[in-house]
Amino acid sequence: MRKTKVTANEPTIIERHNALFGQIEAAKTADDVRVLVEAVRGFIVSYKNVDKTMTKRIYEKLLNKVNDILTSIESVLVVSVIGNLDYTLQSVNGRGSKQ
C-alpha cells in the first residue's frame, strides 16, 4: 500500500465525508449534482481502500439524489404534458361546440 503524508491542513476522511454528505443533501438541481460528481469520484478513489462503508454511503447518497431529481423532473414533465393535453382537448371541444 502506498504511503502518503497527511498535513495538519488537510481534512480527515470524516471531515471530507461529512462535507460531501452535506453538499449532496443541499443539492437542489441537476447542475448542483453535476458539480459534486467529480468530488464524489475523488473521494471514492482516495478512500475506497480505507473505508468501504463511507465510500459506499457517499455513492448511494449521490445516486439517491440523482434519482430524486430525475423523479422531480419526470413529475414536472408529466404535469406539463397533461396540462397541454387538457388545453388541446378544451380547444378541440370548444371548436366542436361552436358549430
Side-chain angles (χ1 to χ4, degrees):
M1 183 175 262
R2 191 175 115 215
K3 291 184 180 181
T4 58
K5 290 184 178 182
V6 177
T7 64
N9 295 335
E10 289 183 26
T12 66
I13 183 175
I14 294 170
E15 291 168 336
R16 282 189 67 191
H17 172 274
N18 291 344
L20 272 175
F21 202 85
Q23 290 171 338
I24 293 168
E25 190 69 32
K28 301 288 184 221
T29 66
D31 288 334
D32 294 342
V33 172
R34 188 176 295 118
V35 170
L36 292 171
V37 168
E38 196 59 39
V40 169
R41 183 178 293 138
F43 179 85
I44 291 170
V45 167
S46 295
Y47 296 114
K48 68 182 175 187
N49 294 326
V50 176
D51 191 330
K52 290 188 189 299
T53 302
M54 280 189 168
T55 55
K56 183 178 178 186
R57 186 170 182 230
I58 286 291
Y59 172 78
E60 288 174 348
K61 185 69 174 174
L62 183 65
L63 187 61
N64 288 336
K65 181 58 82 167
V66 169
N67 285 331
D68 290 347
I69 289 173
L70 287 174
T71 300
S72 172
I73 291 169
E74 202 172 70
S75 297
V76 169
L77 289 174
V78 167
V79 168
S80 177
V81 167
I82 290 172
N84 287 337
L85 286 175
D86 187 44
Y87 176 77
T88 303
L89 287 173
Q90 288 176 1
S91 296
V92 169
N93 289 337
R95 279 190 234 134
S97 64
K98 289 181 183 178
Q99 292 179 346

